[in-house]
Amino acid sequence: PYPLPVYDPPHVRADMHRLHRGTPGFKVVDSSVDAKVDLFEWMLKSQFCWVPPGQRYGDPRRHIVGAALGCIPVFTIPNGRFLFDELLPWQGMSVVVNRSDLPKLPEILARYSSADRERMRSQLRCAW
């Protein structure tokens, strides 16, 4: 007698693509339509790597690879829970950006100095 709720996750990935596909200094790829890129190569030469929610807001794991390559994770995860967060101090080695702040992402990331980024990378190296 009661309909089951249909889960329709917000399209955070589509938001990022729409907002920052052409933003200077950003590499935003929609893997369903864009040419394939070498993920590892881009992570190695990037300062920050955006971590969208996993499928159905499941646990995203791409930040583990990015962190191991020295790419500072930028999380947009609604519940604020990250893989191994009970063991790793993500708050000191990552950036958390609310979905509503994605339009301001270039300005938010520009606030991190070279020293800030090196401190965060140093913590990432200790974690791995």
Side-chain angles (χ1 to χ4, degrees), residues 19-121:
L19 290 165
H20 298 298
R21 180 181 173 95
T23 301
F26 279 55
K27 178 71 172 176
V28 180
V29 176
D30 179 346
S31 61
S32 67
V33 295
D34 294 332
K36 301 298 181 211
V37 298
D38 185 330
L39 178 67
F40 296 106
E41 176 187 338
W42 279 99
M43 285 183 169
L44 276 169
K45 63 183 180 181
S46 296
Q47 298 291 321
F48 297 97
C49 291
W50 184 58
V51 182
Q55 295 296 322
R56 302 263 185 207
Y57 280 130
D59 180 31
R61 291 188 173 94
R62 66 189 51 79
H63 64 289
I64 301 299
V65 174
L69 296 173
C71 194
I72 300 164
V74 178
F75 292 103
T76 303
I77 300 175
N79 66 5
R81 296 298 314 255
F82 315 117
L83 188 64
F84 302 128
D85 65 353
E86 64 278 358
L87 302 172
L88 298 174
W90 289 111
Q91 66 277 8
M93 54 188 182
S94 66
V95 178
V96 178
V97 178
N98 292 321
R99 182 181 182 197
S100 61
D101 291 328
L102 284 178
K104 299 180 281 188
L105 189 57
E107 294 84 14
I108 291 169
L109 297 180
R111 293 180 200 145
Y112 290 90
S113 69
S114 177
D116 292 333
R117 294 189 308 269
E118 186 49 43
R119 176 189 48 76
M120 294 166 93
R121 275 194 206 87

